[in-house]
């Protein structure tokens, strides 16, 4: 399978704990995106990398959220001191700058904060 | 700012019925337009796209035409199947930024 891979697929955590999600993009893709999706809503943009550089961050990305892509390949999204409002599906997507306009999503990581 | 509006769901149809899901957008310039589909428990899959006015995107029997004059990108299918049951998202990407703006999604249920 050469699609975008995310893990874990599901995570249940207690409020106040830290969680980390990992995304492995399609191998030749240099752009990587993180989105958040809550029930009944469309995905909301969080942040975007081109290679290892984080080029854009949404105001939704509070200081408890941090994303990295240290070698321009996989990425991690960490949420510190989780709150119940962080419960959502976190979607990763990737694209290749030579393929204009199309991004490919992973299956998402569900987070439930109890 | 950019935004996407979709018809509210859920939409319930019988198999072989005609489907229309309305989508309108607000954006500066000439965005690219997309329909993504999300099956239960899965991520979003690209269904079709159109990158300029009057382009028609099509895939798996679904079609949508980029209408600049009405700022619309309505999704249509002539004969739906039970396997088309999913949530459909209209989205745009402008020519200046890298991120996509999604509509809230429309849930489609097709009954046998």
């Amino acid at each position: 399978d050469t699609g975008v891979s995310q893990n874990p697929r599901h995570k249940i955590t207690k409020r106040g704990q830290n969680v980390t999600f990992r995304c492995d993009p399609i191998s030749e893709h240099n752009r990587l995106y993180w989105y958040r999706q809550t029930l009944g809503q469309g995905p909301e943009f969080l942040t975007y990398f081109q290679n290892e550089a984080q080029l854009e961050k949404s105001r939704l990305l509070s200081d408890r959220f941090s994303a990295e892509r240290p070698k321009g390949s996989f990425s991690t999204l960490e949420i510190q001191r989780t709150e119940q409002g962080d419960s959502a599906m976190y979607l990763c997507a990737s694209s290749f700058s030579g393929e204009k306009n199309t991004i490919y999503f992973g299956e998402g990581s569900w987070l439930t904060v109890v | 700012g950019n935004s996407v509006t979709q018809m509210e769901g859920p939409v319930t149809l019988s198999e072989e019925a005609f489907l229309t899901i309305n989508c309108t957008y607000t954006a500066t310039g000439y965005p690219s337009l997309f329909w993504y589909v999300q099956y239960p428990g899965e991520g979003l899959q690209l269904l079709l796209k159109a990158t300029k006015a009057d382009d028609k995107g099509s895939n798996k029997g679904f079609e949508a035409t980029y209408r600049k004059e009405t700022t619309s990108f309505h999704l249509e299918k002539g004969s739906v199947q039970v396997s088309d049951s999913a949530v459909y998202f209209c989205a745009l990407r402008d020519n200046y930024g890298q991120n996509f703006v999604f509509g809230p999604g429309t849930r489609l249920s097709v009954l046998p």
Side-chain angles (χ1 to χ4, degrees):
Chain A
D1 186 4
T2 57
V4 178
S5 176
Q6 292 187 244
N7 66 83
R9 292 291 314 279
H10 299 90
K11 178 73 176 178
I12 300 173
T13 191
K14 291 184 178 179
R15 189 175 52 185
Q17 298 294 305
N18 299 344
V19 296
T20 299
F21 298 110
R22 175 178 169 128
C23 172
D24 288 90
I26 294 171
S27 59
E28 64 268 25
H29 285 184
N30 58 345
R31 292 177 176 167
L32 186 146
Y33 309 76
W34 284 100
Y35 283 80
R36 182 175 70 185
Q37 185 181 18
T38 53
L39 282 175
Q41 299 297 317
E44 297 173 293
F45 172 75
L46 292 179
T47 190
Y48 149 68
F49 291 84
Q50 177 149 320
N51 300 313
E52 66 275 9
Q54 189 173 19
L55 298 185
E56 193 173 345
K57 291 195 291 187
S58 162
R59 65 181 187 280
L60 293 175
L61 211 67
S62 76
D63 57 5
R64 296 185 297 104
F65 288 69
S66 62
E68 295 183 343
R69 194 183 184 199
K71 297 182 180 179
S73 57
F74 73 91
S75 175
T76 58
L77 176 69
E78 182 183 18
I79 309 173
Q80 296 181 325
R81 305 180 303 281
T82 52
E83 301 172 357
Q84 286 187 324
D86 297 331
S87 295
M89 182 158 70
Y90 291 85
L91 290 163
C92 179
S94 69
S95 71
F96 175 57
S97 56
E99 183 182 7
K100 190 178 179 182
N101 291 318
T102 302
I103 63 173
Y104 299 87
F105 283 88
E107 294 185 329
S109 294
W110 277 104
L111 172 65
T112 301
V113 181
V114 298
Chain B
N2 297 339
S3 66
V4 175
T5 303
Q6 290 180 236
M7 64 186 290
E8 289 188 17
V11 174
T12 303
L13 296 173
S14 297
E15 205 165 22
E16 300 183 0
F18 184 86
L19 168 71
T20 300
I21 300 178
N22 291 339
C23 169
T24 56
Y25 67 89
T26 301
T28 54
Y30 299 90
S32 295
L33 302 175
F34 304 82
W35 278 100
Y36 278 82
V37 59
Q38 187 174 35
Y39 298 100
E42 299 184 9
L44 278 72
Q45 301 174 25
L46 177 66
L47 181 60
L48 53 83
K49 66 179 181 182
T51 57
K52 61 183 187 295
D54 300 325
D55 268 3
K56 178 186 284 188
S58 61
N59 185 28
K60 299 181 182 180
F62 290 90
E63 294 184 338
T65 301
Y66 188 145
R67 301 286 188 199
K68 180 108 179 114
E69 63 276 14
T70 54
T71 62
S72 66
F73 193 54
H74 304 322
L75 182 68
E76 297 182 336
K77 186 174 185 182
S79 175
V80 293
Q81 305 300 312
V82 173
S83 58
D84 294 327
S85 298
V87 181
Y88 292 81
F89 293 92
C90 185
L92 69 81
R93 179 188 179 201
D94 65 33
N95 290 325
Y96 307 104
Q98 293 297 335
N99 74 72
F100 283 58
V101 175
F102 287 85
T106 302
R107 181 174 298 279
L108 170 66
S109 295
V110 180
L111 305 179

